[in-house]
Amino acid sequence: MAESAVSFAVERIGDALLQKAIFLKGVHEQVDRMQRELKRMQCFLKDADAKQQEDERVRHWVSEIRDVAYDAEDAIDAFIFNVESGRTKFFPCRMFKKLVSSCKVGKEIEAIQIKIQDISKSRETYGINSIGEAISQAGQRLQKLRYISPLVKEEIIVGLKEDTDKLVEELVKGDERRRAVSMVGMGGIGKTTLAKKVYNDSRVMDHFRFCRAWAYVSQDCRPRDVFQNILNQIPYNPTGDEARKIEKMQEHEFGDFLHELLKEQRFLVVLDDVWESDDWERLAKAFPKESNGSRLLLTTRKNDVALQADAQSVPYEVQLLSEAESWKLFCRSAIPGNFTEICPPELKELGEKMVKKCAGLPLAIVVLGGLLSSKKQLPTMWEEVFNKLRAHFAESNGVDAILSLIANRLFYA
Ligand SMILES: Nc1ncnc2c1ncn2[C@@H]1O[C@H](COP(=O)(O)OP(=O)(O)O)[C@@H](O)[C@H]1O
Ligand SMILES: [Mg+2]
């Protein structure tokens, strides 16, 4: 369905922005704009989906959105060089051929942006309304917008078992007081990955089976969107009238409304990537402090945010990977289809030297692995990459440096 294709693209673009400092030099603004447009368009997709049964033009409109969402996702995938996509299944070779230079990707994004604007304009012509209007006409219940699905690809995950157990315990055991449990650590260390694992853990799913939601906050925190997203995931079925009212609610009203709904519940809400204390303050209004054993699980780069959210909970510091874990992740990322820690013997020494440069940061490892996975598994090819790394770093292990080098130089070499 077009709706989920757009949601998926919005999610991917969100991820890309997250890593913008490293990857999006030069095209950040364009990507940001593209994400906003796609997000806006999401609101209209429900109505379009309903109407496309009857109207050929609307059907066409929906398929155009779907295509553009896929294009957007492709361009972003290409640009950030995400590792999950680096595996053969998700990142076909055609993608690499497409990537001649960042300039080309920038142009591609601009073209997509123009397409999105055109499609958006044609909406009115086809009489496609926003989600609230559509519901009032159809007298239907507010259907759920697809939220960002927090699934983890288990086969690539290394470690995290102990961390998961500890965090699960924090969520399902202990005081009835509503607590905010935070995970802190630098970008790319694995906070979101760990949060997803915890969120999908059977003990957590069971304990919060009636009320569980995942919301992606990001640097560009928009509380109203976050509240809407949460509302879509919790048990609540508004009438047409109610849905219309909700549609018109401003941020604070929406927050109060969600607060009322959550008051009686034992809820778990994940707020992924909260950047600032102010953002937390705006979001916090929606979460009642009743003693129902409810939990908020935050991921953040800042200790301040964690302490602000709950001064009585000790922030959970996500650790860098150990040497053995780094190696395992590297083998899984660099060699497509490999889910072991075994690497061809002739590549082992070179691989180990390169992994060392990543200093245990999973993002650096998966980016490096993704890069190597696109090359032939020959010592000469790996040596080429290694020499470039070595020349750049001399003896240092600067993680930011490895990422920017990979993103900007090696990748396009
Ligand atoms: N334990 C792990 N095993 C495998 N891959 C991991 C692990 N932790 C993180 N990654 C990968 O590293 C990248 C960054 O992780 P992420 O959870 O997004 O970091 P953060 O949220 O802290 O910025 C992702 O591509 C993720 O899949
Ligand atoms: Mg994250």
Side-chain angles (χ1 to χ4, degrees), residues 15 18-19 82-84 152 156-160 185-194 272-273 299 301 318 321 329 361-364 366:
D15 279 351
L18 205 71
Q19 295 164 9
N82 180 304
V83 82
E84 279 158 14
V152 203
I156 198 184
I157 300 283
V158 300
L160 300 189
M186 66 192 286
I189 202 166
K191 301 180 293 297
T192 301
T193 308
L194 178 56
D272 184 30
D273 215 21
T299 80
R301 294 168 201 217
V318 181
L321 298 181
L329 180 56
L361 188 74
L363 178 65
V366 295

mmCIF file of all heavy atoms in Angstrom, residues 15 18-19 82-84 152 156-160 185-194 272-273 299 301 318 321 329 361-364 366, ligand 1:
data_model
loop_
_atom_site.group_PDB
_atom_site.id
_atom_site.type_symbol
_atom_site.label_atom_id
_atom_site.label_comp_id
_atom_site.label_asym_id
_atom_site.label_seq_id
_atom_site.Cartn_x
_atom_site.Cartn_y
_atom_site.Cartn_z
ATOM 1 N N ASP A 15 16.373 8.366 9.452
ATOM 2 C CA ASP A 15 17.635 7.732 9.821
ATOM 3 C C ASP A 15 18.813 8.432 9.159
ATOM 4 O O ASP A 15 19.854 8.636 9.761
ATOM 5 C CB ASP A 15 17.654 6.267 9.369
ATOM 6 C CG ASP A 15 16.892 5.385 10.349
ATOM 7 O OD1 ASP A 15 16.529 5.884 11.413
ATOM 8 O OD2 ASP A 15 16.654 4.216 10.007
ATOM 9 N N LEU A 18 19.707 11.535 10.831
ATOM 10 C CA LEU A 18 20.357 11.234 12.085
ATOM 11 C C LEU A 18 21.869 11.158 11.905
ATOM 12 O O LEU A 18 22.639 11.523 12.762
ATOM 13 C CB LEU A 18 19.847 9.863 12.521
ATOM 14 C CG LEU A 18 19.886 9.574 13.973
ATOM 15 C CD1 LEU A 18 18.845 10.415 14.649
ATOM 16 C CD2 LEU A 18 19.587 8.100 14.173
ATOM 17 N N GLN A 19 22.238 10.652 10.792
ATOM 18 C CA GLN A 19 23.658 10.464 10.547
ATOM 19 C C GLN A 19 24.196 11.560 9.647
ATOM 20 O O GLN A 19 25.193 11.414 8.983
ATOM 21 C CB GLN A 19 23.868 9.083 9.918
ATOM 22 C CG GLN A 19 23.483 7.992 10.880
ATOM 23 C CD GLN A 19 23.298 6.637 10.234
ATOM 24 O OE1 GLN A 19 23.612 6.455 9.070
ATOM 25 N NE2 GLN A 19 22.761 5.702 10.979
ATOM 26 N N ASN A 82 24.079 2.582 4.188
ATOM 27 C CA ASN A 82 23.672 1.881 5.397
ATOM 28 C C ASN A 82 24.028 0.407 5.310
ATOM 29 O O ASN A 82 23.823 -0.237 4.307
ATOM 30 C CB ASN A 82 22.155 2.054 5.535
ATOM 31 C CG ASN A 82 21.612 1.370 6.747
ATOM 32 O OD1 ASN A 82 21.805 0.172 6.929
ATOM 33 N ND2 ASN A 82 20.950 2.129 7.569
ATOM 34 N N VAL A 83 24.481 -0.143 6.382
ATOM 35 C CA VAL A 83 24.974 -1.510 6.304
ATOM 36 C C VAL A 83 23.905 -2.556 6.098
ATOM 37 O O VAL A 83 24.093 -3.513 5.385
ATOM 38 C CB VAL A 83 25.742 -1.890 7.548
ATOM 39 C CG1 VAL A 83 24.848 -2.321 8.668
ATOM 40 C CG2 VAL A 83 26.655 -3.014 7.197
ATOM 41 N N GLU A 84 22.787 -2.339 6.720
ATOM 42 C CA GLU A 84 21.763 -3.351 6.573
ATOM 43 C C GLU A 84 21.430 -3.534 5.103
ATOM 44 O O GLU A 84 21.164 -4.618 4.630
ATOM 45 C CB GLU A 84 20.512 -2.960 7.342
ATOM 46 C CG GLU A 84 20.658 -3.301 8.793
ATOM 47 C CD GLU A 84 19.742 -2.486 9.657
ATOM 48 O OE1 GLU A 84 18.815 -1.861 9.106
ATOM 49 O OE2 GLU A 84 19.961 -2.474 10.847
ATOM 50 N N VAL A 152 14.052 -5.731 14.461
ATOM 51 C CA VAL A 152 15.516 -5.817 14.347
ATOM 52 C C VAL A 152 15.857 -7.054 13.539
ATOM 53 O O VAL A 152 15.235 -8.091 13.695
ATOM 54 C CB VAL A 152 16.181 -6.011 15.733
ATOM 55 C CG1 VAL A 152 17.614 -5.538 15.705
ATOM 56 C CG2 VAL A 152 15.398 -5.363 16.832
ATOM 57 N N ILE A 156 22.029 -10.249 12.322
ATOM 58 C CA ILE A 156 23.243 -9.432 12.255
ATOM 59 C C ILE A 156 23.655 -8.890 13.634
ATOM 60 O O ILE A 156 24.783 -8.462 13.843
ATOM 61 C CB ILE A 156 23.085 -8.295 11.218
ATOM 62 C CG1 ILE A 156 24.469 -7.758 10.851
ATOM 63 C CG2 ILE A 156 22.155 -7.221 11.676
ATOM 64 C CD1 ILE A 156 24.467 -6.588 9.935
ATOM 65 N N ILE A 157 22.744 -8.958 14.585
ATOM 66 C CA ILE A 157 23.030 -8.406 15.914
ATOM 67 C C ILE A 157 24.132 -9.200 16.628
ATOM 68 O O ILE A 157 24.116 -10.423 16.630
ATOM 69 C CB ILE A 157 21.764 -8.460 16.805
ATOM 70 C CG1 ILE A 157 20.629 -7.665 16.185
ATOM 71 C CG2 ILE A 157 22.052 -8.011 18.231
ATOM 72 C CD1 ILE A 157 20.752 -6.196 16.335
ATOM 73 N N VAL A 158 25.065 -8.487 17.219
ATOM 74 C CA VAL A 158 26.041 -9.178 18.054
ATOM 75 C C VAL A 158 25.884 -8.685 19.492
ATOM 76 O O VAL A 158 25.519 -7.534 19.724
ATOM 77 C CB VAL A 158 27.499 -8.955 17.583
ATOM 78 C CG1 VAL A 158 27.712 -9.444 16.169
ATOM 79 C CG2 VAL A 158 27.902 -7.506 17.711
ATOM 80 N N GLY A 159 26.150 -9.582 20.422
ATOM 81 C CA GLY A 159 26.079 -9.221 21.844
ATOM 82 C C GLY A 159 24.691 -8.760 22.263
ATOM 83 O O GLY A 159 23.688 -9.268 21.769
ATOM 84 N N LEU A 160 24.660 -7.821 23.168
ATOM 85 C CA LEU A 160 23.430 -7.176 23.666
ATOM 86 C C LEU A 160 22.556 -8.068 24.538
ATOM 87 O O LEU A 160 21.514 -7.628 24.990
ATOM 88 C CB LEU A 160 22.570 -6.602 22.515
ATOM 89 C CG LEU A 160 23.192 -5.536 21.616
ATOM 90 C CD1 LEU A 160 22.124 -4.943 20.692
ATOM 91 C CD2 LEU A 160 23.802 -4.402 22.432
ATOM 92 N N GLY A 185 24.483 7.307 25.083
ATOM 93 C CA GLY A 185 25.707 6.945 24.359
ATOM 94 C C GLY A 185 25.794 7.745 23.064
ATOM 95 O O GLY A 185 24.802 8.310 22.599
ATOM 96 N N MET A 186 27.002 7.781 22.521
ATOM 97 C CA MET A 186 27.214 8.564 21.296
ATOM 98 C C MET A 186 26.414 8.007 20.117
ATOM 99 O O MET A 186 25.955 6.851 20.165
ATOM 100 C CB MET A 186 28.700 8.583 20.942
ATOM 101 C CG MET A 186 29.255 7.220 20.563
ATOM 102 S SD MET A 186 31.064 7.188 20.494
ATOM 103 C CE MET A 186 31.363 8.077 18.986
ATOM 104 N N GLY A 187 26.263 8.818 19.098
ATOM 105 C CA GLY A 187 25.571 8.383 17.883
ATOM 106 C C GLY A 187 26.269 7.168 17.290
ATOM 107 O O GLY A 187 27.503 7.118 17.257
ATOM 108 N N GLY A 188 25.499 6.177 16.875
ATOM 109 C CA GLY A 188 26.072 5.014 16.206
ATOM 110 C C GLY A 188 26.537 3.916 17.143
ATOM 111 O O GLY A 188 27.041 2.882 16.707
ATOM 112 N N ILE A 189 26.328 4.113 18.447
ATOM 113 C CA ILE A 189 26.833 3.109 19.393
ATOM 114 C C ILE A 189 25.871 1.931 19.544
ATOM 115 O O ILE A 189 26.228 0.874 20.070
ATOM 116 C CB ILE A 189 27.165 3.754 20.760
ATOM 117 C CG1 ILE A 189 28.160 2.896 21.535
ATOM 118 C CG2 ILE A 189 25.905 4.008 21.575
ATOM 119 C CD1 ILE A 189 28.809 3.582 22.709
ATOM 120 N N GLY A 190 24.630 2.118 19.111
ATOM 121 C CA GLY A 190 23.689 0.990 19.157
ATOM 122 C C GLY A 190 22.500 1.183 20.098
ATOM 123 O O GLY A 190 21.851 0.218 20.479
ATOM 124 N N LYS A 191 22.183 2.427 20.433
ATOM 125 C CA LYS A 191 21.066 2.679 21.356
ATOM 126 C C LYS A 191 19.734 2.216 20.763
ATOM 127 O O LYS A 191 18.962 1.508 21.402
ATOM 128 C CB LYS A 191 20.970 4.181 21.697
ATOM 129 C CG LYS A 191 22.210 4.755 22.335
ATOM 130 C CD LYS A 191 22.050 6.225 22.643
ATOM 131 C CE LYS A 191 21.932 7.120 21.413
ATOM 132 N NZ LYS A 191 23.123 7.122 20.550
ATOM 133 N N THR A 192 19.496 2.627 19.533
ATOM 134 C CA THR A 192 18.222 2.277 18.904
ATOM 135 C C THR A 192 18.124 0.764 18.717
ATOM 136 O O THR A 192 17.075 0.159 18.956
ATOM 137 C CB THR A 192 18.078 3.004 17.548
ATOM 138 O OG1 THR A 192 18.154 4.411 17.808
ATOM 139 C CG2 THR A 192 16.771 2.693 16.878
ATOM 140 N N THR A 193 19.231 0.164 18.319
ATOM 141 C CA THR A 193 19.255 -1.290 18.123
ATOM 142 C C THR A 193 18.892 -2.008 19.421
ATOM 143 O O THR A 193 18.073 -2.922 19.428
ATOM 144 C CB THR A 193 20.661 -1.721 17.649
ATOM 145 O OG1 THR A 193 21.017 -0.920 16.519
ATOM 146 C CG2 THR A 193 20.715 -3.178 17.282
ATOM 147 N N LEU A 194 19.500 -1.556 20.506
ATOM 148 C CA LEU A 194 19.225 -2.174 21.799
ATOM 149 C C LEU A 194 17.772 -1.911 22.223
ATOM 150 O O LEU A 194 17.086 -2.814 22.715
ATOM 151 C CB LEU A 194 20.215 -1.631 22.841
ATOM 152 C CG LEU A 194 20.059 -2.132 24.271
ATOM 153 C CD1 LEU A 194 20.126 -3.650 24.362
ATOM 154 C CD2 LEU A 194 21.140 -1.512 25.179
ATOM 155 N N ASP A 272 12.541 7.371 21.031
ATOM 156 C CA ASP A 272 13.848 7.099 20.448
ATOM 157 C C ASP A 272 14.507 8.385 19.970
ATOM 158 O O ASP A 272 13.931 9.131 19.191
ATOM 159 C CB ASP A 272 13.688 6.115 19.272
ATOM 160 C CG ASP A 272 15.036 5.719 18.681
ATOM 161 O OD1 ASP A 272 16.030 5.707 19.435
ATOM 162 O OD2 ASP A 272 15.090 5.420 17.471
ATOM 163 N N ASP A 273 15.698 8.621 20.464
ATOM 164 C CA ASP A 273 16.519 9.746 20.047
ATOM 165 C C ASP A 273 15.960 11.107 20.469
ATOM 166 O O ASP A 273 15.565 11.923 19.632
ATOM 167 C CB ASP A 273 16.714 9.702 18.520
ATOM 168 C CG ASP A 273 18.092 10.206 18.128
ATOM 169 O OD1 ASP A 273 18.972 10.202 18.997
ATOM 170 O OD2 ASP A 273 18.280 10.606 16.965
ATOM 171 N N THR A 299 16.014 6.885 24.397
ATOM 172 C CA THR A 299 17.403 6.818 23.945
ATOM 173 C C THR A 299 17.833 8.255 23.688
ATOM 174 O O THR A 299 17.068 9.055 23.166
ATOM 175 C CB THR A 299 17.623 5.965 22.675
ATOM 176 O OG1 THR A 299 17.269 6.743 21.519
ATOM 177 C CG2 THR A 299 16.820 4.672 22.688
ATOM 178 N N ARG A 301 21.598 10.991 23.366
ATOM 179 C CA ARG A 301 23.063 11.133 23.413
ATOM 180 C C ARG A 301 23.496 11.863 24.676
ATOM 181 O O ARG A 301 24.663 11.875 25.021
ATOM 182 C CB ARG A 301 23.537 11.929 22.200
ATOM 183 C CG ARG A 301 23.280 11.172 20.928
ATOM 184 C CD ARG A 301 23.448 12.007 19.683
ATOM 185 N NE ARG A 301 22.711 11.330 18.615
ATOM 186 C CZ ARG A 301 23.096 11.266 17.364
ATOM 187 N NH1 ARG A 301 24.188 11.867 16.990
ATOM 188 N NH2 ARG A 301 22.376 10.614 16.489
ATOM 189 N N VAL A 318 25.256 2.689 27.086
ATOM 190 C CA VAL A 318 25.500 1.668 26.075
ATOM 191 C C VAL A 318 27.003 1.654 25.787
ATOM 192 O O VAL A 318 27.622 2.701 25.605
ATOM 193 C CB VAL A 318 24.688 1.955 24.783
ATOM 194 C CG1 VAL A 318 24.932 0.887 23.741
ATOM 195 C CG2 VAL A 318 23.203 2.054 25.117
ATOM 196 N N LEU A 321 31.530 -1.973 21.395
ATOM 197 C CA LEU A 321 31.663 -3.424 21.248
ATOM 198 C C LEU A 321 33.059 -3.877 21.690
ATOM 199 O O LEU A 321 34.050 -3.138 21.531
ATOM 200 C CB LEU A 321 31.460 -3.835 19.791
ATOM 201 C CG LEU A 321 30.085 -3.542 19.164
ATOM 202 C CD1 LEU A 321 30.054 -4.029 17.715
ATOM 203 C CD2 LEU A 321 28.962 -4.204 19.947
ATOM 204 N N LEU A 329 30.783 -8.727 14.082
ATOM 205 C CA LEU A 329 29.931 -7.815 13.312
ATOM 206 C C LEU A 329 30.575 -7.468 11.973
ATOM 207 O O LEU A 329 29.915 -7.398 10.934
ATOM 208 C CB LEU A 329 29.658 -6.531 14.119
ATOM 209 C CG LEU A 329 28.779 -5.480 13.446
ATOM 210 C CD1 LEU A 329 27.432 -6.070 13.027
ATOM 211 C CD2 LEU A 329 28.549 -4.282 14.373
ATOM 212 N N LEU A 361 32.943 0.926 17.582
ATOM 213 C CA LEU A 361 31.684 1.624 17.265
ATOM 214 C C LEU A 361 30.933 0.857 16.168
ATOM 215 O O LEU A 361 31.385 0.783 15.030
ATOM 216 C CB LEU A 361 31.958 3.053 16.788
ATOM 217 C CG LEU A 361 30.702 3.909 16.626
ATOM 218 C CD1 LEU A 361 30.152 4.325 17.990
ATOM 219 C CD2 LEU A 361 30.945 5.135 15.770
ATOM 220 N N PRO A 362 29.755 0.310 16.500
ATOM 221 C CA PRO A 362 29.053 -0.524 15.514
ATOM 222 C C PRO A 362 28.778 0.191 14.189
ATOM 223 O O PRO A 362 28.944 -0.409 13.128
ATOM 224 C CB PRO A 362 27.732 -0.891 16.200
ATOM 225 C CG PRO A 362 27.883 -0.559 17.623
ATOM 226 C CD PRO A 362 29.039 0.375 17.790
ATOM 227 N N LEU A 363 28.418 1.442 14.275
ATOM 228 C CA LEU A 363 28.116 2.147 13.018
ATOM 229 C C LEU A 363 29.341 2.168 12.094
ATOM 230 O O LEU A 363 29.235 1.930 10.890
ATOM 231 C CB LEU A 363 27.639 3.582 13.303
ATOM 232 C CG LEU A 363 27.332 4.417 12.074
ATOM 233 C CD1 LEU A 363 26.152 3.846 11.298
ATOM 234 C CD2 LEU A 363 27.047 5.866 12.447
ATOM 235 N N ALA A 364 30.515 2.446 12.677
ATOM 236 C CA ALA A 364 31.738 2.484 11.867
ATOM 237 C C ALA A 364 31.999 1.107 11.257
ATOM 238 O O ALA A 364 32.370 0.983 10.089
ATOM 239 C CB ALA A 364 32.920 2.927 12.718
ATOM 240 N N VAL A 366 29.818 -1.332 10.626
ATOM 241 C CA VAL A 366 28.881 -1.732 9.573
ATOM 242 C C VAL A 366 29.073 -0.907 8.303
ATOM 243 O O VAL A 366 28.879 -1.411 7.198
ATOM 244 C CB VAL A 366 27.396 -1.688 10.033
ATOM 245 C CG1 VAL A 366 27.128 -2.697 11.116
ATOM 246 C CG2 VAL A 366 26.971 -0.326 10.463
HETATM 247 N N1 LIG B 1 25.053 -4.961 18.711
HETATM 248 C C1 LIG B 1 24.966 -4.697 17.409
HETATM 249 N N2 LIG B 1 25.062 -5.688 16.506
HETATM 250 C C2 LIG B 1 24.975 -5.430 15.194
HETATM 251 N N3 LIG B 1 24.812 -4.212 14.670
HETATM 252 C C3 LIG B 1 24.692 -3.191 15.508
HETATM 253 C C4 LIG B 1 24.769 -3.365 16.923
HETATM 254 N N4 LIG B 1 24.611 -2.169 17.500
HETATM 255 C C5 LIG B 1 24.454 -1.292 16.501
HETATM 256 N N5 LIG B 1 24.502 -1.899 15.304
HETATM 257 C C6 LIG B 1 24.380 -1.253 13.991
HETATM 258 O O1 LIG B 1 25.075 -0.019 14.063
HETATM 259 C C7 LIG B 1 24.341 1.015 13.459
HETATM 260 C C8 LIG B 1 24.072 2.120 14.451
HETATM 261 O O2 LIG B 1 23.276 1.627 15.506
HETATM 262 P P1 LIG B 1 22.081 2.461 16.139
HETATM 263 O O3 LIG B 1 21.342 1.549 17.059
HETATM 264 O O4 LIG B 1 21.289 3.143 15.082
HETATM 265 O O5 LIG B 1 22.896 3.540 16.980
HETATM 266 P P2 LIG B 1 22.379 4.814 17.785
HETATM 267 O O6 LIG B 1 20.897 4.684 17.943
HETATM 268 O O7 LIG B 1 23.117 4.761 19.083
HETATM 269 O O8 LIG B 1 22.790 5.992 16.966
HETATM 270 C C9 LIG B 1 23.072 0.377 12.924
HETATM 271 O O9 LIG B 1 23.273 0.116 11.555
HETATM 272 C C10 LIG B 1 22.941 -0.908 13.687
HETATM 273 O O10 LIG B 1 22.313 -1.893 12.925
#
